[in-house]
């Protein structure tokens, strides 16, 4: 891409562009929101806890007086909340330019969403699938519109257990996390394929942050995983949220990014570094897997995509 590593200072002017960033009150989402606001973008902070969202806004505006921000409630694990959020955005905005599907949970004890789906699959994949489908018409009206779906290095280890999506027959906290990140990758690629086939102006781009120190590793994981990630991995290997967010910022704003690309860190094992194009696993680009996940996701969310042309 570039001989010198890309930084947030290279984000083009985003004045008059409208962004939705899920999970925008902390970690990668907060870093993404801060960088976009600094370049003039209007950011809708889609957050489960509105109090934390308002504190994030106060933090950013203290650094950047006049930053254009708004806080909206969104619980991705509750499809009713996803629908309510999308309805509000339609009421208040005639268009969107970029949706950053960033929020996620990692390796919690087994629990179910409001609609009875395994929590990680519900929050990390189904909620973002539904949100994207419900906002796609607004994105089609945007300027250089993009959907950026944040996956993980772990997508390369994941597979979808279509016969046991809820983990009823056996729950592995990290196994279900890997499954959800694989689903993100499959969805992002399948969305790209469908948008391209329809001749839509909307681009679907994938990104991953490498190994980044956020509360994702320390708040939800159970038992040994919390020790591995929070106490051992973060101090030794992790980069900061501002560094980790560069991949999704690049995917969201750089003029040279193309639909279907996967952006991640350029360092050793893609754990850290500046954004570059990285490899999507062949399994994630498998047409049959993409078709099957799409159909299952439509059934579970009751959201049918109308691809704008």
């Amino acid at each position: 891409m570039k001989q010198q590593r890309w930084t947030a200072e290279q984000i083009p002017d985003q004045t008059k562009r409208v962004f939705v960033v899920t999970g925008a009150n902390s970690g990668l989402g907060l870093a993404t929101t801060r960088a976009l606001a600094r370049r003039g973008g209007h950011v809708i902070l889609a957050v489960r806890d509105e109090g934390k969202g308002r504190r994030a806004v106060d933090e950013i505006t203290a650094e950047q007086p006049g930053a254009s921000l708004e806080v909206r409630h969104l619980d991705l694990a509750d499809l009713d909340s996803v629908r309510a959020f999308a309805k509000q955005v339609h009421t208040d905005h005639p268009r969107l330019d970029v949706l950053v599907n960033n929020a996620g949970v990692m390796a919690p004890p087994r629990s179910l969403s409001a609609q009875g789906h395994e929590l990680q699959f519900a929050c990390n994949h189904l909620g973002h699938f539904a949100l994207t489908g419900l906002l796609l018409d607004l994105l089609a009206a945007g300027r250089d519109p993009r959907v950026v779906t944040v996956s993980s290095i772990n997508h390369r280890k994941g597979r979808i257990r279509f016969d046991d999506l809820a983990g009823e027959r056996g729950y592995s906290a990290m196994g279900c996390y890997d499954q959800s990140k694989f689903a993100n990758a499959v969805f992002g690629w399948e969305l790209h394929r469908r948008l391209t086939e329809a001749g839509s102006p909307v681009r679907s781009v994938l990104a991953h942050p490498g190994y980044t120190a956020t509360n994702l590793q320390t708040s939800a994981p159970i038992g040994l995983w919390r020790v591995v990630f929070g106490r051992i991995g973060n101090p030794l290997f992790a980069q900061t949220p501002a560094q980790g967010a560069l991949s999704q910022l690049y995917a969201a704003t750089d003029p040279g990014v193309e639909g279907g690309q996967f952006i991640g860190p350029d360092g050793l094992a893609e754990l850290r570094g500046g954004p570059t194009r990285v490899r999507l696993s062949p399994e994630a680009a498998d047409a049959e897997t993409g078709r099957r996940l799409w159909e299952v996701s439509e059934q579970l969310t009751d959201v049918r995509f109308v691809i704008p042309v």
Side-chain angles (χ1 to χ4, degrees), residues 105-214:
V105 294
M106 180 182 186
R110 184 177 184 269
S111 55
L112 301 180
S113 71
Q115 285 75 34
H117 309 304
E118 189 276 318
L119 184 64
Q120 295 182 89
F121 191 73
C123 180
N124 297 356
H125 169 62
L126 290 177
H128 282 128
F129 177 91
L131 181 65
T132 303
L134 293 169
L135 295 179
L136 203 54
D137 59 331
L138 293 183
L139 285 160
R143 176 164 57 94
D144 187 16
R146 307 182 190 192
V147 176
V148 178
T149 301
V150 181
S151 183
S152 167
I153 299 171
N154 285 44
H155 90 277
R156 298 183 183 123
K157 299 191 297 180
R159 296 294 181 271
I160 300 193
R161 298 172 62 189
F162 285 105
D163 61 342
D164 188 23
L165 289 174
E168 293 175 324
R169 299 178 192 169
Y171 179 73
S172 162
M174 280 306 298
C176 284
Y177 175 75
D178 294 346
Q179 173 179 253
S180 72
K181 292 288 101 180
F182 180 68
N184 288 152
V186 173
F187 166 60
W189 178 258
E190 180 66 9
L191 178 61
H192 160 66
R193 189 190 67 76
R194 291 175 184 243
L195 291 169
T196 302
E197 188 176 78
S200 172
V202 182
R203 279 182 272 181
S204 173
V205 188
L206 284 154
H208 83 76
Y211 194 170
T212 301
T214 71

Side-chain angles (χ1 to χ4, degrees), residues 250-272:
Y250 186 97
T253 66
D254 192 87
V257 170
E258 299 177 2
Q261 289 185 338
F262 189 20
I263 309 299
D266 62 3
L268 180 65
E270 299 173 26
L271 292 176
R272 54 194 302 152

Side-chain angles (χ1 to χ4, degrees), residues 34 37-40 57-69:
R34 180 183 284 113
R38 185 180 296 122
R39 299 299 296 147
V57 168
D58 291 342
E59 179 182 325
I60 294 171
T61 53
E63 303 166 355
Q64 306 172 45
S68 183
L69 305 166

